[in-house]
Amino acid sequence: MIRHIVLFTAKDQAQIEGIIEGLSILTKIPHPRRLEIARNRKSDALGNDIDVVVYGEFDSDAELAAYKGHPLYQESIRRVRPLRELRFAADYSV
């Protein structure tokens, strides 16, 4: 299984909901075993820079690639890119 985690910061705090809405269309893509989009609770004592988290689980590299190749993935990028400042992504096998 592959875990896919993407972290976003907003250019403006007023745009966080727009980022979440733009990312939420990813949940309509059938390839993930699990996909969550959430606002960071910002409860860490050492750092709360991240605004939005995407957490996904995929059965294989092929499923992750199909997810990233889906038209809704491209639509999400189109909606979110103008609103976000930074994007960090990590994938790892479990």
Side-chain angles (χ1 to χ4, degrees), residues 6-13 15-16 19 38-53 83-88:
V6 187
L7 308 172
F8 294 88
T9 63
K11 288 181 180 179
D12 181 322
Q13 294 298 294
Q15 296 173 324
I16 293 174
I19 292 172
R39 186 179 192 133
N40 184 11
R41 293 178 50 218
K42 298 193 176 189
S43 58
D44 187 84
L46 301 177
N48 290 303
D49 298 331
I50 301 301
D51 295 309
V52 180
V53 178
L83 306 177
R84 64 135 170 112
E85 184 70 34
L86 299 173
R87 177 190 179 273
F88 300 99

mmCIF file of all heavy atoms in Angstrom, residues 6-13 15-16 19 38-53 83-88:
data_model
loop_
_atom_site.group_PDB
_atom_site.id
_atom_site.type_symbol
_atom_site.label_atom_id
_atom_site.label_comp_id
_atom_site.label_asym_id
_atom_site.label_seq_id
_atom_site.Cartn_x
_atom_site.Cartn_y
_atom_site.Cartn_z
ATOM 1 N N VAL A 6 -0.216 15.263 1.039
ATOM 2 C CA VAL A 6 0.092 16.553 0.437
ATOM 3 C C VAL A 6 -0.330 17.641 1.414
ATOM 4 O O VAL A 6 -1.437 17.596 1.964
ATOM 5 C CB VAL A 6 -0.618 16.736 -0.924
ATOM 6 C CG1 VAL A 6 -0.139 18.009 -1.600
ATOM 7 C CG2 VAL A 6 -0.390 15.529 -1.823
ATOM 8 N N LEU A 7 0.560 18.602 1.631
ATOM 9 C CA LEU A 7 0.324 19.689 2.573
ATOM 10 C C LEU A 7 0.309 21.007 1.806
ATOM 11 O O LEU A 7 1.159 21.239 0.943
ATOM 12 C CB LEU A 7 1.431 19.719 3.627
ATOM 13 C CG LEU A 7 1.705 18.392 4.338
ATOM 14 C CD1 LEU A 7 2.953 18.500 5.199
ATOM 15 C CD2 LEU A 7 0.510 17.962 5.155
ATOM 16 N N PHE A 8 -0.634 21.872 2.150
ATOM 17 C CA PHE A 8 -0.799 23.153 1.462
ATOM 18 C C PHE A 8 -0.793 24.308 2.448
ATOM 19 O O PHE A 8 -1.309 24.176 3.565
ATOM 20 C CB PHE A 8 -2.147 23.203 0.735
ATOM 21 C CG PHE A 8 -2.280 22.229 -0.389
ATOM 22 C CD1 PHE A 8 -2.742 20.942 -0.178
ATOM 23 C CD2 PHE A 8 -1.948 22.604 -1.689
ATOM 24 C CE1 PHE A 8 -2.876 20.046 -1.214
ATOM 25 C CE2 PHE A 8 -2.080 21.709 -2.744
ATOM 26 C CZ PHE A 8 -2.538 20.428 -2.505
ATOM 27 N N THR A 9 -0.244 25.437 1.995
ATOM 28 C CA THR A 9 -0.433 26.691 2.704
ATOM 29 C C THR A 9 -1.194 27.624 1.767
ATOM 30 O O THR A 9 -1.036 27.559 0.545
ATOM 31 C CB THR A 9 0.901 27.357 3.104
ATOM 32 O OG1 THR A 9 1.639 27.687 1.932
ATOM 33 C CG2 THR A 9 1.725 26.444 3.994
ATOM 34 N N ALA A 10 -2.015 28.462 2.357
ATOM 35 C CA ALA A 10 -2.809 29.413 1.577
ATOM 36 C C ALA A 10 -2.064 30.730 1.435
ATOM 37 O O ALA A 10 -1.342 31.145 2.344
ATOM 38 C CB ALA A 10 -4.149 29.657 2.263
ATOM 39 N N LYS A 11 -2.245 31.394 0.294
ATOM 40 C CA LYS A 11 -1.686 32.734 0.115
ATOM 41 C C LYS A 11 -2.324 33.704 1.103
ATOM 42 O O LYS A 11 -1.690 34.633 1.582
ATOM 43 C CB LYS A 11 -1.923 33.229 -1.311
ATOM 44 C CG LYS A 11 -1.069 32.534 -2.337
ATOM 45 C CD LYS A 11 -1.334 33.097 -3.726
ATOM 46 C CE LYS A 11 -0.485 32.392 -4.758
ATOM 47 N NZ LYS A 11 -0.740 32.897 -6.116
ATOM 48 N N ASP A 12 -3.608 33.456 1.382
ATOM 49 C CA ASP A 12 -4.393 34.312 2.266
ATOM 50 C C ASP A 12 -5.288 33.387 3.086
ATOM 51 O O ASP A 12 -5.920 32.485 2.533
ATOM 52 C CB ASP A 12 -5.227 35.269 1.408
ATOM 53 C CG ASP A 12 -6.071 36.232 2.209
ATOM 54 O OD1 ASP A 12 -6.620 35.848 3.255
ATOM 55 O OD2 ASP A 12 -6.202 37.380 1.761
ATOM 56 N N GLN A 13 -5.357 33.602 4.376
ATOM 57 C CA GLN A 13 -6.164 32.733 5.239
ATOM 58 C C GLN A 13 -7.630 32.701 4.811
ATOM 59 O O GLN A 13 -8.318 31.713 5.041
ATOM 60 C CB GLN A 13 -6.046 33.180 6.702
ATOM 61 C CG GLN A 13 -4.646 33.003 7.284
ATOM 62 C CD GLN A 13 -4.221 31.548 7.289
ATOM 63 O OE1 GLN A 13 -4.796 30.723 7.990
ATOM 64 N NE2 GLN A 13 -3.226 31.209 6.491
ATOM 65 N N GLN A 15 -8.652 32.265 1.966
ATOM 66 C CA GLN A 15 -8.775 31.353 0.827
ATOM 67 C C GLN A 15 -8.717 29.869 1.214
ATOM 68 O O GLN A 15 -8.833 29.008 0.352
ATOM 69 C CB GLN A 15 -7.675 31.655 -0.187
ATOM 70 C CG GLN A 15 -7.809 33.050 -0.771
ATOM 71 C CD GLN A 15 -6.651 33.435 -1.646
ATOM 72 O OE1 GLN A 15 -5.512 33.080 -1.398
ATOM 73 N NE2 GLN A 15 -6.948 34.175 -2.707
ATOM 74 N N ILE A 16 -8.593 29.577 2.488
ATOM 75 C CA ILE A 16 -8.482 28.172 2.921
ATOM 76 C C ILE A 16 -9.715 27.375 2.506
ATOM 77 O O ILE A 16 -9.588 26.251 1.999
ATOM 78 C CB ILE A 16 -8.223 28.072 4.435
ATOM 79 C CG1 ILE A 16 -6.826 28.643 4.753
ATOM 80 C CG2 ILE A 16 -8.335 26.619 4.903
ATOM 81 C CD1 ILE A 16 -6.509 28.721 6.225
ATOM 82 N N ILE A 19 -9.547 26.464 -1.076
ATOM 83 C CA ILE A 19 -8.604 25.365 -1.309
ATOM 84 C C ILE A 19 -9.259 24.036 -0.978
ATOM 85 O O ILE A 19 -9.172 23.078 -1.753
ATOM 86 C CB ILE A 19 -7.313 25.583 -0.488
ATOM 87 C CG1 ILE A 19 -6.545 26.793 -1.029
ATOM 88 C CG2 ILE A 19 -6.442 24.329 -0.503
ATOM 89 C CD1 ILE A 19 -5.362 27.218 -0.168
ATOM 90 N N ALA A 38 -8.621 17.774 4.705
ATOM 91 C CA ALA A 38 -8.949 18.375 5.999
ATOM 92 C C ALA A 38 -8.176 19.662 6.236
ATOM 93 O O ALA A 38 -7.046 19.822 5.767
ATOM 94 C CB ALA A 38 -8.650 17.391 7.125
ATOM 95 N N ARG A 39 -8.802 20.527 6.977
ATOM 96 C CA ARG A 39 -8.142 21.751 7.444
ATOM 97 C C ARG A 39 -7.266 21.371 8.640
ATOM 98 O O ARG A 39 -7.694 20.613 9.514
ATOM 99 C CB ARG A 39 -9.210 22.757 7.862
ATOM 100 C CG ARG A 39 -8.673 24.090 8.228
ATOM 101 C CD ARG A 39 -9.814 25.033 8.611
ATOM 102 N NE ARG A 39 -9.295 26.379 8.688
ATOM 103 C CZ ARG A 39 -9.868 27.430 8.143
ATOM 104 N NH1 ARG A 39 -11.005 27.300 7.493
ATOM 105 N NH2 ARG A 39 -9.328 28.616 8.261
ATOM 106 N N ASN A 40 -6.052 21.873 8.672
ATOM 107 C CA ASN A 40 -5.156 21.616 9.798
ATOM 108 C C ASN A 40 -5.736 22.255 11.059
ATOM 109 O O ASN A 40 -6.140 23.427 11.043
ATOM 110 C CB ASN A 40 -3.773 22.199 9.487
ATOM 111 C CG ASN A 40 -2.749 21.905 10.562
ATOM 112 O OD1 ASN A 40 -2.972 21.105 11.459
ATOM 113 N ND2 ASN A 40 -1.600 22.555 10.459
ATOM 114 N N ARG A 41 -5.753 21.484 12.140
ATOM 115 C CA ARG A 41 -6.276 21.994 13.413
ATOM 116 C C ARG A 41 -5.344 23.005 14.059
ATOM 117 O O ARG A 41 -5.739 23.729 14.962
ATOM 118 C CB ARG A 41 -6.517 20.830 14.372
ATOM 119 C CG ARG A 41 -7.635 19.913 13.901
ATOM 120 C CD ARG A 41 -7.835 18.725 14.837
ATOM 121 N NE ARG A 41 -7.949 19.192 16.205
ATOM 122 C CZ ARG A 41 -7.428 18.544 17.256
ATOM 123 N NH1 ARG A 41 -6.765 17.417 17.099
ATOM 124 N NH2 ARG A 41 -7.580 19.023 18.475
ATOM 125 N N LYS A 42 -4.093 23.015 13.630
ATOM 126 C CA LYS A 42 -3.078 23.945 14.139
ATOM 127 C C LYS A 42 -2.959 23.872 15.656
ATOM 128 O O LYS A 42 -2.985 24.884 16.353
ATOM 129 C CB LYS A 42 -3.351 25.369 13.653
ATOM 130 C CG LYS A 42 -3.293 25.455 12.141
ATOM 131 C CD LYS A 42 -3.257 26.860 11.640
ATOM 132 C CE LYS A 42 -3.106 26.837 10.120
ATOM 133 N NZ LYS A 42 -2.857 28.143 9.565
ATOM 134 N N SER A 43 -2.808 22.654 16.146
ATOM 135 C CA SER A 43 -2.697 22.433 17.585
ATOM 136 C C SER A 43 -1.285 22.026 18.009
ATOM 137 O O SER A 43 -1.067 21.707 19.172
ATOM 138 C CB SER A 43 -3.708 21.364 18.021
ATOM 139 O OG SER A 43 -3.486 20.163 17.307
ATOM 140 N N ASP A 44 -0.321 22.055 17.086
ATOM 141 C CA ASP A 44 1.044 21.681 17.406
ATOM 142 C C ASP A 44 1.770 22.853 18.052
ATOM 143 O O ASP A 44 1.685 23.995 17.563
ATOM 144 C CB ASP A 44 1.782 21.243 16.132
ATOM 145 C CG ASP A 44 3.152 20.689 16.442
ATOM 146 O OD1 ASP A 44 3.229 19.487 16.771
ATOM 147 O OD2 ASP A 44 4.133 21.458 16.361
ATOM 148 N N ALA A 45 2.492 22.596 19.130
ATOM 149 C CA ALA A 45 3.171 23.671 19.855
ATOM 150 C C ALA A 45 4.380 24.229 19.101
ATOM 151 O O ALA A 45 4.825 25.333 19.377
ATOM 152 C CB ALA A 45 3.606 23.156 21.225
ATOM 153 N N LEU A 46 4.903 23.481 18.123
ATOM 154 C CA LEU A 46 6.139 23.889 17.461
ATOM 155 C C LEU A 46 5.960 24.458 16.065
ATOM 156 O O LEU A 46 6.871 25.081 15.536
ATOM 157 C CB LEU A 46 7.111 22.703 17.409
ATOM 158 C CG LEU A 46 7.495 22.125 18.772
ATOM 159 C CD1 LEU A 46 8.386 20.914 18.591
ATOM 160 C CD2 LEU A 46 8.179 23.181 19.639
ATOM 161 N N GLY A 47 4.835 24.225 15.442
ATOM 162 C CA GLY A 47 4.663 24.752 14.100
ATOM 163 C C GLY A 47 3.275 24.494 13.560
ATOM 164 O O GLY A 47 2.780 23.378 13.638
ATOM 165 N N ASN A 48 2.678 25.529 13.032
ATOM 166 C CA ASN A 48 1.320 25.427 12.495
ATOM 167 C C ASN A 48 1.199 26.129 11.155
ATOM 168 O O ASN A 48 0.209 26.786 10.865
ATOM 169 C CB ASN A 48 0.323 26.016 13.492
ATOM 170 C CG ASN A 48 0.183 25.153 14.718
ATOM 171 O OD1 ASN A 48 -0.151 23.984 14.613
ATOM 172 N ND2 ASN A 48 0.472 25.702 15.888
ATOM 173 N N ASP A 49 2.223 25.996 10.337
ATOM 174 C CA ASP A 49 2.249 26.689 9.058
ATOM 175 C C ASP A 49 1.319 26.088 8.017
ATOM 176 O O ASP A 49 0.832 26.787 7.140
ATOM 177 C CB ASP A 49 3.672 26.708 8.494
ATOM 178 C CG ASP A 49 4.634 27.461 9.403
ATOM 179 O OD1 ASP A 49 4.188 28.378 10.107
ATOM 180 O OD2 ASP A 49 5.825 27.115 9.413
ATOM 181 N N ILE A 50 1.076 24.802 8.095
ATOM 182 C CA ILE A 50 0.262 24.099 7.098
ATOM 183 C C ILE A 50 -1.217 24.414 7.329
ATOM 184 O O ILE A 50 -1.700 24.361 8.458
ATOM 185 C CB ILE A 50 0.500 22.579 7.157
ATOM 186 C CG1 ILE A 50 1.986 22.263 6.913
ATOM 187 C CG2 ILE A 50 -0.412 21.836 6.196
ATOM 188 C CD1 ILE A 50 2.516 22.759 5.573
ATOM 189 N N ASP A 51 -1.933 24.700 6.236
ATOM 190 C CA ASP A 51 -3.357 25.033 6.338
ATOM 191 C C ASP A 51 -4.271 23.863 5.986
ATOM 192 O O ASP A 51 -5.316 23.672 6.608
ATOM 193 C CB ASP A 51 -3.686 26.213 5.421
ATOM 194 C CG ASP A 51 -2.978 27.487 5.846
ATOM 195 O OD1 ASP A 51 -3.070 27.841 7.042
ATOM 196 O OD2 ASP A 51 -2.332 28.119 4.998
ATOM 197 N N VAL A 52 -3.898 23.068 4.966
ATOM 198 C CA VAL A 52 -4.772 22.000 4.477
ATOM 199 C C VAL A 52 -3.938 20.748 4.234
ATOM 200 O O VAL A 52 -2.803 20.820 3.749
ATOM 201 C CB VAL A 52 -5.487 22.412 3.166
ATOM 202 C CG1 VAL A 52 -6.392 21.303 2.650
ATOM 203 C CG2 VAL A 52 -6.286 23.691 3.370
ATOM 204 N N VAL A 53 -4.531 19.592 4.558
ATOM 205 C CA VAL A 53 -3.867 18.295 4.400
ATOM 206 C C VAL A 53 -4.712 17.397 3.497
ATOM 207 O O VAL A 53 -5.937 17.329 3.656
ATOM 208 C CB VAL A 53 -3.700 17.594 5.770
ATOM 209 C CG1 VAL A 53 -3.061 16.223 5.614
ATOM 210 C CG2 VAL A 53 -2.916 18.473 6.728
ATOM 211 N N LEU A 83 -4.709 29.746 -5.412
ATOM 212 C CA LEU A 83 -5.014 30.080 -4.024
ATOM 213 C C LEU A 83 -3.919 29.691 -3.047
ATOM 214 O O LEU A 83 -3.857 30.218 -1.945
ATOM 215 C CB LEU A 83 -6.315 29.381 -3.596
ATOM 216 C CG LEU A 83 -7.544 29.616 -4.474
ATOM 217 C CD1 LEU A 83 -8.714 28.807 -3.944
ATOM 218 C CD2 LEU A 83 -7.869 31.094 -4.557
ATOM 219 N N ARG A 84 -3.078 28.766 -3.447
ATOM 220 C CA ARG A 84 -2.090 28.233 -2.508
ATOM 221 C C ARG A 84 -0.743 28.903 -2.662
ATOM 222 O O ARG A 84 -0.396 29.397 -3.723
ATOM 223 C CB ARG A 84 -1.944 26.732 -2.692
ATOM 224 C CG ARG A 84 -1.391 26.348 -4.067
ATOM 225 C CD ARG A 84 -0.340 25.298 -3.915
ATOM 226 N NE ARG A 84 0.047 24.748 -5.194
ATOM 227 C CZ ARG A 84 1.242 24.945 -5.744
ATOM 228 N NH1 ARG A 84 2.132 25.683 -5.130
ATOM 229 N NH2 ARG A 84 1.547 24.415 -6.905
ATOM 230 N N GLU A 85 -0.016 28.932 -1.550
ATOM 231 C CA GLU A 85 1.344 29.450 -1.565
ATOM 232 C C GLU A 85 2.319 28.296 -1.786
ATOM 233 O O GLU A 85 3.031 28.246 -2.767
ATOM 234 C CB GLU A 85 1.655 30.165 -0.240
ATOM 235 C CG GLU A 85 3.012 30.823 -0.195
ATOM 236 C CD GLU A 85 3.096 32.035 -1.101
ATOM 237 O OE1 GLU A 85 2.092 32.742 -1.260
ATOM 238 O OE2 GLU A 85 4.193 32.264 -1.652
ATOM 239 N N LEU A 86 2.320 27.353 -0.849
ATOM 240 C CA LEU A 86 3.240 26.218 -0.913
ATOM 241 C C LEU A 86 2.475 24.905 -0.994
ATOM 242 O O LEU A 86 1.348 24.793 -0.504
ATOM 243 C CB LEU A 86 4.135 26.188 0.328
ATOM 244 C CG LEU A 86 5.042 27.398 0.556
ATOM 245 C CD1 LEU A 86 5.731 27.281 1.902
ATOM 246 C CD2 LEU A 86 6.055 27.524 -0.564
ATOM 247 N N ARG A 87 3.147 23.916 -1.596
ATOM 248 C CA ARG A 87 2.605 22.554 -1.683
ATOM 249 C C ARG A 87 3.758 21.603 -1.446
ATOM 250 O O ARG A 87 4.783 21.685 -2.107
ATOM 251 C CB ARG A 87 2.006 22.304 -3.061
ATOM 252 C CG ARG A 87 1.490 20.890 -3.265
ATOM 253 C CD ARG A 87 1.128 20.650 -4.735
ATOM 254 N NE ARG A 87 0.658 19.303 -4.974
ATOM 255 C CZ ARG A 87 1.441 18.267 -5.240
ATOM 256 N NH1 ARG A 87 2.753 18.414 -5.293
ATOM 257 N NH2 ARG A 87 0.925 17.071 -5.449
ATOM 258 N N PHE A 88 3.581 20.718 -0.463
ATOM 259 C CA PHE A 88 4.586 19.694 -0.169
ATOM 260 C C PHE A 88 3.904 18.328 -0.321
ATOM 261 O O PHE A 88 2.788 18.149 0.182
ATOM 262 C CB PHE A 88 5.107 19.816 1.270
ATOM 263 C CG PHE A 88 5.745 21.132 1.555
ATOM 264 C CD1 PHE A 88 5.041 22.135 2.214
ATOM 265 C CD2 PHE A 88 7.061 21.386 1.191
ATOM 266 C CE1 PHE A 88 5.627 23.362 2.489
ATOM 267 C CE2 PHE A 88 7.652 22.611 1.458
ATOM 268 C CZ PHE A 88 6.936 23.600 2.114
#
